[in-house]
Amino acid sequence: MLTKINHIGIAVRSLDETLPFYRDNLGMAFAGIEEVVEQKVRVAMLQVGESKIELLEPTSEESPVAKFLEKNGPGIHHLAYEVEDIEAAIARLLADGARMIDERPRNGAHGTRIAFVHPKSSNGVLTELCQPGCENPRS
C-alpha cells in the first residue's frame, strides 16, 4: 500500500523566519511556496534526497495548523506516506477499522491528493496518505 515516505510536515509560525534555516543553512533544495486555501496554510516544500520537508504556516486562526501551534508550539506536525491509489488505501484502512479524518481524498499542495488518518488510529502520530500528481509547485 505505501511506496515511501513522501514528506515530513513541520508546523511553523512564519515561513519567512524558518525557511532560511532549511534552505540556506542545511542546503535543502527549495521547491517553492504555495497557499492551500482549503487547509488554511502556506506551504514551503524542500527536497532532501528522495524525501521532502513541508513547512506549514497557518493563514488563519481557524487552521488546524494554527490550533496545533497553539497547543504544541512549532515542530513535527505529520508524516506523509506516498500511495499509488489513495482511494484503495483509504478503503483498506477503513475496512481494517482505522479512524480517518478524511474518508475521501482532498486536494493538497503541489497537485497531490491527500487524506489524513486520525492520530488515535496511529498511536498518536498524525498520518497523511499522499498520492502524487503534478510535481511542479503552483507558485
Side-chain angles (χ1 to χ4, degrees), residues 19 22 32 45 52 85 115 130:
L19 183 58
Y22 290 90
M45 197 66 80
K52 298 177 210 87
D85 182 341
C130 178

Side-chain angles (χ1 to χ4, degrees), residues 10-43:
I10 300 174
V12 302
R13 296 192 199 290
S14 166
L15 290 180
D16 292 338
E17 292 176 12
T18 308
L19 183 58
F21 173 74
Y22 290 90
R23 182 191 58 213
D24 304 336
N25 298 110
L26 294 179
M28 292 182 187
F30 175 56
I33 295 176
E34 175 181 354
E35 184 169 347
V36 183
V37 176
E38 179 181 336
Q39 296 177 42
K40 300 177 179 136
V41 292
R42 286 179 63 222
V43 174

Side-chain angles (χ1 to χ4, degrees), residues 70-110:
E70 183 178 313
K71 182 178 177 183
N72 303 296
I76 294 177
H77 181 261
H78 67 271
L79 291 177
Y81 298 96
E82 193 167 303
V83 297
E84 290 180 9
D85 182 341
I86 196 163
E87 283 91 357
I90 293 169
R92 179 175 173 188
L93 285 164
L94 287 170
D96 289 343
R99 183 173 167 193
M100 298 294 297
I101 292 173
D102 303 299
E103 292 189 10
R104 284 184 223 139
R106 55 185 160 132
N107 295 326
H110 307 295

